[in-house]
Amino acid sequence: MSKTVTITDNASGKSIECQVMEGTHGHPVVDTRALSKELGMFTFDPAFVTTASCESAITFIDGEKGILLHRGYPIDQLAENSSYLEVCYLLINGELPTKTEMDSFVFSIGRLSLLHEGLLNFFNGFRHDAHPMAMLAGVVAGMSSHYHEEMDIYNPEHRNMCAIRLLGKMPTIAAKSFRYLLGRPYVYPRHDLGYVENFFNMMFHLPNREMAMNPTAVKALEIMLILHADHEQNASTSTVRLAGSSQANPYACIAAGITTLWGPAHGGANEAVINMLQEIGDVKNIGPYIDRVKDKNNPTRLMGFGHRVYKNFDPRAKIIRGVCHQLLGELDATGDQQPMFEIAMELERIALEDQYFIERKLYPNVDFYSGIILSALGIPTNMFTVMFAVARTAGWIAQWKEMMEDPSLKIGRPRQLYVGAAKRDYVAMDQR
Ligand code: CMC
């Protein structure tokens, strides 16, 4: 027998039976769609803390147990055995690819990595000190002005082309924004290099010297991209879905996701973590900083700590912590990143033993370590969220595509509890 939940309006005595829906894993959800029709009421759930906004077969998170699965595969297995592009394929298509499927996917992405010269010109309109996230959002939205002939959102082949085009061009746009800020010449993408190697080459190659590719650095960035590829219905992904539900084109939707990711409570946290570690500056200053974080009258938060869903630990943080150790051991010959890493380790240790964090189930999230890794890779702080956006493009596309393929797609339209002025008559200006 199917489970139901009864909701009764005690004032009228009217009741409705709401179906309880069970997924493959995770909490059951109550289907409240009849509520407004039958009882004339809406549910109130600011910040969607207890609302399932869609059915999805892409990613599963168990925040209590610290589990993250993509299409059923645990994140630690993917990080260890897979590549970023294979994870992209998996997220977007639902299954791991065969060799032939993978070869064709990689080839198409490489082929479409070049940026139209007209799009390159967009960059010249930005100030010399523009935030690269602004450039990324602007140029990705600008892609909608270039590929009209393959932008029918109801055509599966066009949807696929948009997906490939975005995966191909995101690193190119990201690297161009980085070089624009430095005043360095643009480096065209290379089809003969792997996805991560090509990204590194576009970021760091200089015309007057040979560039050595460090395999540990390549592996670290590959893992970073895998760990950030998708994360269920987070703020930026929900934004992409909401924008897409209005039938906006995918480039506009992904640009909306990029701008949402920018905030320090979301993708901007890795940048904020580095700023925080620099502000702390020395292990001896950790105590007073933690006191500030715990002070109710102070808005300071321990950046890289806490998560809306993970209330045990963030499985991505566990993996990235190991990568961080290995990378600093091998790459940081000068020891530049070591003091920051030591502050991070000590901060983590102190916070994890502190009642404030224990009671609130605040654990390090993926961003607590990702900034240190990116710094060790030579990526400046203002590029961190851009790197996150490049990785998350896979998830945004997969979620957008899943939504577009759902025959029951409707425009997203939350309701509200109106608490403003009651109806009143207009007052002429001379009588106010
Ligand atoms: N430092 C200090 N206190 C915190 C923190 C923190 N980082 N996070 C939550 N709290 C406290 C908060 O003050 C509240 O305390 P009280 O119950 O006494 O009022 C309690 O914990 C619950 O906080 P909340 O704001 O209701 O939790 P939330 O689920 O709405 O917020 C969060 C989740 C990630 C926005 C928040 O933990 C935060 O701001 N963390 C720092 C920013 C950060 O690292 N963000 C990256 C998230 S992971 C990457 C991604 O998915 O984008």
Side-chain angles (χ1 to χ4, degrees):
M1 206 177 76
S2 62
K3 271 203 242 166
T4 56
V5 164
T6 308
I7 300 178
T8 307
D9 174 3
N10 291 328
S12 68
K14 249 177 117 179
S15 287
I16 58 162
E17 290 289 300
C18 296
Q19 202 72 34
V20 176
M21 301 164 75
E22 302 268 1
T24 319
H25 295 301
H27 296 281
V29 305
V30 182
D31 182 348
T32 55
R33 279 175 290 186
L35 200 62
S36 68
K37 218 175 179 181
E38 304 293 331
L39 298 184
M41 292 178 190
F42 300 126
T43 53
F44 183 63
D45 184 21
F48 312 124
V49 179
T50 55
T51 294
S53 61
C54 61
E55 277 185 288
S56 180
I58 301 172
T59 291
F60 172 73
I61 302 174
D62 184 327
E64 266 82 44
K65 297 198 184 110
I67 293 171
L68 170 60
L69 310 176
H70 291 321
R71 301 285 189 182
Y73 297 103
I75 191 65
D76 52 327
Q77 291 184 23
L78 293 173
E80 194 175 334
N81 304 306
S82 190
S83 65
Y84 174 67
L85 283 190
E86 191 181 55
V87 172
C88 291
Y89 186 99
L90 174 70
L91 289 168
I92 294 169
N93 298 297
E95 294 297 336
L96 288 169
T98 61
K99 167 117 181 46
T100 318
E101 286 165 341
M102 187 63 191
D103 287 348
S104 149
F105 186 65
V106 172
F107 178 81
S108 318
I109 289 171
R111 197 170 61 85
L112 291 181
S113 55
L114 205 62
L115 213 55
H116 189 288
E117 295 287 317
L119 278 172
L120 275 180
N121 286 334
F122 278 32
F123 284 90
N124 297 328
F126 289 102
R127 264 174 66 125
H128 67 282
D129 57 353
H131 197 288
M133 281 298 277
M135 295 192 227
L136 192 70
V139 177
V140 170
M143 283 174 75
S144 353
S145 65
H146 274 66
Y147 306 108
H148 312 280
E149 65 291 349
E150 277 168 330
M151 229 161 50
D152 175 1
I153 54 172
Y154 295 109
N155 180 331
E157 278 172 28
H158 286 201
R159 286 200 295 267
N160 205 38
M161 274 310 285
C162 293
I164 300 281
R165 192 163 268 136
L166 276 158
L167 288 173
K169 295 189 199 313
M170 279 298 271
T172 316
I173 301 171
K176 168 68 188 170
S177 64
F178 170 65
R179 299 189 71 104
Y180 180 77
L181 292 178
L182 296 178
R184 288 189 185 159
Y186 169 59
V187 176
Y188 284 92
R190 273 179 50 187
H191 201 353
D192 59 321
L193 294 177
Y195 195 77
V196 176
E197 287 89 340
N198 172 50
F199 195 6
F200 265 123
N201 191 58
M202 290 190 292
M203 295 276 287
F204 299 116
H205 176 79
L206 292 174
N208 57 352
R209 67 186 84 143
E210 273 302 306
M211 194 191 126
M213 204 77 74
N214 182 312
T216 308
V218 172
K219 182 73 190 156
L221 187 55
E222 184 102 51
I223 293 178
M224 284 277 299
L225 294 177
I226 293 174
L227 295 184
H228 287 86
D230 190 47
H231 213 227
E232 208 224 49
Q233 307 311 320
N234 55 80
S236 58
T237 302
S238 297
T239 304
V240 170
R241 278 188 179 259
L242 196 56
S245 78
S246 77
Q247 301 169 19
N249 73 71
Y251 306 111
C253 298
I254 302 299
I258 293 169
T259 51
T260 307
L261 187 75
W262 198 350
H266 193 5
N270 49 15
E271 190 174 335
V273 168
I274 296 296
N275 294 337
M276 173 187 79
L277 295 175
Q278 278 166 353
E279 190 189 334
I280 294 174
D282 194 294
V283 171
K284 70 174 188 312
N285 300 328
I286 292 176
Y289 196 87
I290 297 253
D291 290 343
R292 228 167 91 191
V293 163
K294 293 189 319 194
D295 180 358
K296 278 263 158 256
N297 301 315
N298 194 314
T300 310
R301 283 197 164 193
L302 194 56
M303 299 313 287
F305 259 73
H307 199 276
R308 171 60 59 80
V309 182
Y310 294 122
K311 300 299 176 196
N312 182 329
F313 65 88
D314 179 340
R316 302 166 303 169
K318 257 193 174 174
I319 300 166
I320 215 163
R321 194 174 187 268
V323 175
C324 204
H325 272 282
Q326 200 196 349
L327 189 72
L328 292 190
E330 286 190 37
L331 264 197
D332 192 28
T334 54
D336 282 356
Q337 307 300 322
Q338 210 56 44
M340 199 149 64
F341 189 50
E342 272 160 24
I343 296 172
M345 298 277 288
E346 187 57 8
L347 192 58
E348 184 196 38
R349 191 191 63 76
I350 294 175
L352 288 178
E353 288 172 2
D354 191 304
Q355 268 321 105
Y356 175 94
F357 297 91
I358 295 169
E359 275 164 16
R360 290 168 180 78
K361 300 186 171 163
L362 301 169
Y363 294 87
N365 59 51
V366 67
D367 287 325
F368 191 69
Y369 288 102
S370 64
I372 301 172
I373 292 182
L374 292 172
S375 292
L377 293 176
I379 294 165
T381 323
N382 62 358
M383 279 294 293
F384 288 3
T385 318
V386 172
M387 304 303 286
F388 192 161
V390 169
R392 187 53 60 83
T393 302
W396 290 331
I397 293 169
Q399 302 269 351
W400 170 80
K401 212 163 149 276
E402 180 182 68
M403 183 185 70
M404 295 312 298
E405 284 161 8
D406 182 348
S408 64
L409 169 66
K410 278 170 98 137
I411 186 167
R413 176 58 168 93
R415 303 304 298 254
Q416 64 169 10
L417 177 67
Y418 175 69
V419 292
K423 181 178 177 292
R424 48 187 170 166
D425 291 324
Y426 180 78
V427 181
M429 197 174 277
D430 60 357
Q431 287 161 39
R432 285 175 217 163

